[in-house]
Amino acid sequence: MSNPPVLIDEAAILKRVGELADQISDDYADKGDLVLVGVLKGSFIFLADLSRRLSIPRIIEFIAVSSYGTGSVSSGAVRLVMDVRGNIENRHVLIVEDIVDTGHTLKYLIGILESHRPASIRTCSLLHKAESAEVDVKIDYVGFSVGDEWVVGYGLDFGEQDRTLPYIGTVAPDDRNGG
Ligand code: IMP
């Protein structure tokens, strides 16, 4: 199969990641270690690039959730697969997501992380499907807004495929429907 068509190329992604890192570094200057909580699996490449561009002290944690649903259609129900391992109490936490679609996952994650009593929680997502929002959840740092289409690459998958593409590409509607 040929590679998915390019939506956001590698240079544009890296430029934007650098801008986000600068903004986050400014906002958290002199606040001690920032705990970056990467949401598995989709955020792993974004987290790697973002964390290495920060100019402030940071700690890396991971959390894993799974959505009930099939293929590219989310049912809105989210389940915790793996919680953070380290102690984040009284620390500043930044959730690092690959994409916010309906917002159910991010809202659920905020609830889980609040139960660890951090000093603060903010959210960062490389991509945002603004037209698809079903719940009201604030994204403090957004890389790019995208339309209501399935995107892959730079960590994002379609059925575990295409995560390691260096760019963000789109999956044709025919492929999404299994055609
Ligand atoms: P939400 O709960 O509907 O906001 O969905 C968030 C999760 O769905 C993301 O963390 C992704 O794992 C997945 N997701 C939603 N849209 C896409 C997409 O276009 N490509 C890849 N994964 C997606």
Side-chain angles (χ1 to χ4, degrees), residues 61-83:
E61 288 285 339
F62 287 102
I63 195 165
V65 289
S66 80
S67 314
Y68 293 104
T70 50
S72 57
V73 181
S74 166
S75 66
V78 186
R79 180 172 63 92
L80 184 65
V81 173
M82 185 192 83
D83 204 347

mmCIF file of all heavy atoms in Angstrom, residues 61-83:
data_model
loop_
_atom_site.group_PDB
_atom_site.id
_atom_site.type_symbol
_atom_site.label_atom_id
_atom_site.label_comp_id
_atom_site.label_asym_id
_atom_site.label_seq_id
_atom_site.Cartn_x
_atom_site.Cartn_y
_atom_site.Cartn_z
ATOM 1 N N GLU A 61 6.560 10.703 32.948
ATOM 2 C CA GLU A 61 5.699 9.620 33.422
ATOM 3 C C GLU A 61 4.815 9.183 32.247
ATOM 4 O O GLU A 61 4.644 9.933 31.288
ATOM 5 C CB GLU A 61 4.789 10.098 34.571
ATOM 6 C CG GLU A 61 5.507 10.332 35.876
ATOM 7 C CD GLU A 61 5.878 9.031 36.591
ATOM 8 O OE1 GLU A 61 5.253 7.990 36.311
ATOM 9 O OE2 GLU A 61 6.804 9.066 37.410
ATOM 10 N N PHE A 62 4.254 7.989 32.384
ATOM 11 C CA PHE A 62 3.313 7.522 31.359
ATOM 12 C C PHE A 62 2.022 7.055 32.006
ATOM 13 O O PHE A 62 2.023 6.580 33.152
ATOM 14 C CB PHE A 62 3.914 6.360 30.559
ATOM 15 C CG PHE A 62 4.995 6.776 29.604
ATOM 16 C CD1 PHE A 62 6.325 6.584 29.920
ATOM 17 C CD2 PHE A 62 4.675 7.384 28.404
ATOM 18 C CE1 PHE A 62 7.330 6.983 29.052
ATOM 19 C CE2 PHE A 62 5.671 7.789 27.521
ATOM 20 C CZ PHE A 62 6.999 7.589 27.849
ATOM 21 N N ILE A 63 0.951 7.189 31.250
ATOM 22 C CA ILE A 63 -0.340 6.642 31.664
ATOM 23 C C ILE A 63 -0.933 5.981 30.417
ATOM 24 O O ILE A 63 -0.647 6.426 29.296
ATOM 25 C CB ILE A 63 -1.241 7.765 32.236
ATOM 26 C CG1 ILE A 63 -2.428 7.200 33.007
ATOM 27 C CG2 ILE A 63 -1.707 8.732 31.154
ATOM 28 C CD1 ILE A 63 -3.137 8.242 33.895
ATOM 29 N N ALA A 64 -1.682 4.921 30.602
ATOM 30 C CA ALA A 64 -2.277 4.247 29.439
ATOM 31 C C ALA A 64 -3.765 4.052 29.673
ATOM 32 O O ALA A 64 -4.195 3.645 30.752
ATOM 33 C CB ALA A 64 -1.606 2.891 29.194
ATOM 34 N N VAL A 65 -4.525 4.379 28.646
ATOM 35 C CA VAL A 65 -5.973 4.181 28.693
ATOM 36 C C VAL A 65 -6.396 3.466 27.423
ATOM 37 O O VAL A 65 -5.663 3.455 26.435
ATOM 38 C CB VAL A 65 -6.729 5.532 28.783
ATOM 39 C CG1 VAL A 65 -6.554 6.171 30.136
ATOM 40 C CG2 VAL A 65 -6.320 6.480 27.683
ATOM 41 N N SER A 66 -7.566 2.881 27.466
ATOM 42 C CA SER A 66 -8.098 2.369 26.210
ATOM 43 C C SER A 66 -9.547 2.791 26.109
ATOM 44 O O SER A 66 -10.247 2.928 27.112
ATOM 45 C CB SER A 66 -7.951 0.859 26.120
ATOM 46 O OG SER A 66 -8.956 0.244 26.852
ATOM 47 N N SER A 67 -9.954 3.060 24.873
ATOM 48 C CA SER A 67 -11.339 3.468 24.640
ATOM 49 C C SER A 67 -12.109 2.250 24.194
ATOM 50 O O SER A 67 -11.613 1.472 23.385
ATOM 51 C CB SER A 67 -11.423 4.507 23.527
ATOM 52 O OG SER A 67 -10.467 5.487 23.702
ATOM 53 N N TYR A 68 -13.294 2.124 24.717
ATOM 54 C CA TYR A 68 -14.168 1.080 24.189
ATOM 55 C C TYR A 68 -14.689 1.571 22.860
ATOM 56 O O TYR A 68 -14.995 2.735 22.702
ATOM 57 C CB TYR A 68 -15.342 0.826 25.133
ATOM 58 C CG TYR A 68 -14.935 0.239 26.442
ATOM 59 C CD1 TYR A 68 -14.889 1.022 27.581
ATOM 60 C CD2 TYR A 68 -14.597 -1.103 26.538
ATOM 61 C CE1 TYR A 68 -14.518 0.485 28.790
ATOM 62 C CE2 TYR A 68 -14.219 -1.640 27.746
ATOM 63 C CZ TYR A 68 -14.180 -0.846 28.877
ATOM 64 O OH TYR A 68 -13.810 -1.380 30.062
ATOM 65 N N GLY A 69 -14.775 0.693 21.906
ATOM 66 C CA GLY A 69 -15.250 1.096 20.588
ATOM 67 C C GLY A 69 -14.523 0.274 19.552
ATOM 68 O O GLY A 69 -13.618 -0.485 19.875
ATOM 69 N N THR A 70 -14.922 0.432 18.302
ATOM 70 C CA THR A 70 -14.294 -0.361 17.256
ATOM 71 C C THR A 70 -13.716 0.545 16.183
ATOM 72 O O THR A 70 -14.275 1.603 15.906
ATOM 73 C CB THR A 70 -15.319 -1.292 16.574
ATOM 74 O OG1 THR A 70 -16.442 -0.508 16.214
ATOM 75 C CG2 THR A 70 -15.742 -2.414 17.488
ATOM 76 N N GLY A 71 -12.589 0.107 15.607
ATOM 77 C CA GLY A 71 -11.982 0.837 14.494
ATOM 78 C C GLY A 71 -11.744 2.279 14.859
ATOM 79 O O GLY A 71 -11.131 2.587 15.875
ATOM 80 N N SER A 72 -12.251 3.180 14.069
ATOM 81 C CA SER A 72 -11.988 4.596 14.290
ATOM 82 C C SER A 72 -13.164 5.285 14.989
ATOM 83 O O SER A 72 -13.231 6.492 15.047
ATOM 84 C CB SER A 72 -11.700 5.277 12.950
ATOM 85 O OG SER A 72 -12.781 5.087 12.085
ATOM 86 N N VAL A 73 -14.107 4.501 15.508
ATOM 87 C CA VAL A 73 -15.276 5.100 16.149
ATOM 88 C C VAL A 73 -15.203 4.872 17.652
ATOM 89 O O VAL A 73 -15.184 3.738 18.129
ATOM 90 C CB VAL A 73 -16.582 4.488 15.593
ATOM 91 C CG1 VAL A 73 -17.788 5.140 16.243
ATOM 92 C CG2 VAL A 73 -16.641 4.641 14.089
ATOM 93 N N SER A 74 -15.122 5.971 18.412
ATOM 94 C CA SER A 74 -15.043 5.869 19.870
ATOM 95 C C SER A 74 -16.447 5.845 20.458
ATOM 96 O O SER A 74 -17.335 6.556 20.010
ATOM 97 C CB SER A 74 -14.271 7.068 20.424
ATOM 98 O OG SER A 74 -14.450 7.156 21.810
ATOM 99 N N SER A 75 -16.631 5.012 21.491
ATOM 100 C CA SER A 75 -17.936 4.960 22.149
ATOM 101 C C SER A 75 -18.035 5.999 23.254
ATOM 102 O O SER A 75 -19.093 6.213 23.813
ATOM 103 C CB SER A 75 -18.149 3.573 22.754
ATOM 104 O OG SER A 75 -17.220 3.385 23.797
ATOM 105 N N GLY A 76 -16.877 6.619 23.590
ATOM 106 C CA GLY A 76 -16.885 7.612 24.659
ATOM 107 C C GLY A 76 -16.554 7.032 26.017
ATOM 108 O O GLY A 76 -16.288 7.769 26.953
ATOM 109 N N ALA A 77 -16.557 5.694 26.159
ATOM 110 C CA ALA A 77 -16.213 5.074 27.443
ATOM 111 C C ALA A 77 -14.715 4.797 27.475
ATOM 112 O O ALA A 77 -14.158 4.240 26.535
ATOM 113 C CB ALA A 77 -16.986 3.779 27.614
ATOM 114 N N VAL A 78 -14.062 5.211 28.563
ATOM 115 C CA VAL A 78 -12.607 5.098 28.663
ATOM 116 C C VAL A 78 -12.257 4.246 29.879
ATOM 117 O O VAL A 78 -12.936 4.303 30.897
ATOM 118 C CB VAL A 78 -11.979 6.504 28.815
ATOM 119 C CG1 VAL A 78 -10.465 6.438 28.772
ATOM 120 C CG2 VAL A 78 -12.485 7.439 27.725
ATOM 121 N N ARG A 79 -11.210 3.453 29.767
ATOM 122 C CA ARG A 79 -10.795 2.550 30.854
ATOM 123 C C ARG A 79 -9.313 2.778 31.131
ATOM 124 O O ARG A 79 -8.514 2.928 30.202
ATOM 125 C CB ARG A 79 -11.031 1.113 30.374
ATOM 126 C CG ARG A 79 -10.667 0.028 31.344
ATOM 127 C CD ARG A 79 -11.151 -1.313 30.799
ATOM 128 N NE ARG A 79 -10.497 -1.668 29.537
ATOM 129 C CZ ARG A 79 -9.392 -2.401 29.448
ATOM 130 N NH1 ARG A 79 -8.798 -2.848 30.524
ATOM 131 N NH2 ARG A 79 -8.863 -2.683 28.269
ATOM 132 N N LEU A 80 -8.944 2.789 32.415
ATOM 133 C CA LEU A 80 -7.534 2.953 32.791
ATOM 134 C C LEU A 80 -6.808 1.619 32.630
ATOM 135 O O LEU A 80 -7.204 0.610 33.201
ATOM 136 C CB LEU A 80 -7.429 3.435 34.238
ATOM 137 C CG LEU A 80 -6.030 3.732 34.747
ATOM 138 C CD1 LEU A 80 -5.413 4.911 34.010
ATOM 139 C CD2 LEU A 80 -6.048 3.998 36.250
ATOM 140 N N VAL A 81 -5.728 1.630 31.850
ATOM 141 C CA VAL A 81 -4.923 0.417 31.643
ATOM 142 C C VAL A 81 -3.688 0.448 32.534
ATOM 143 O O VAL A 81 -3.299 -0.560 33.121
ATOM 144 C CB VAL A 81 -4.512 0.295 30.157
ATOM 145 C CG1 VAL A 81 -3.545 -0.852 29.938
ATOM 146 C CG2 VAL A 81 -5.748 0.142 29.271
ATOM 147 N N MET A 82 -3.058 1.613 32.656
ATOM 148 C CA MET A 82 -1.869 1.755 33.511
ATOM 149 C C MET A 82 -1.820 3.169 34.063
ATOM 150 O O MET A 82 -1.866 4.137 33.310
ATOM 151 C CB MET A 82 -0.599 1.486 32.694
ATOM 152 C CG MET A 82 0.661 1.504 33.525
ATOM 153 S SD MET A 82 2.144 1.529 32.485
ATOM 154 C CE MET A 82 2.281 3.268 32.103
ATOM 155 N N ASP A 83 -1.742 3.269 35.393
ATOM 156 C CA ASP A 83 -1.667 4.589 36.032
ATOM 157 C C ASP A 83 -0.206 5.053 36.072
ATOM 158 O O ASP A 83 0.705 4.255 35.805
ATOM 159 C CB ASP A 83 -2.241 4.488 37.454
ATOM 160 C CG ASP A 83 -2.739 5.829 37.978
ATOM 161 O OD1 ASP A 83 -2.422 6.869 37.365
ATOM 162 O OD2 ASP A 83 -3.443 5.837 39.005
#
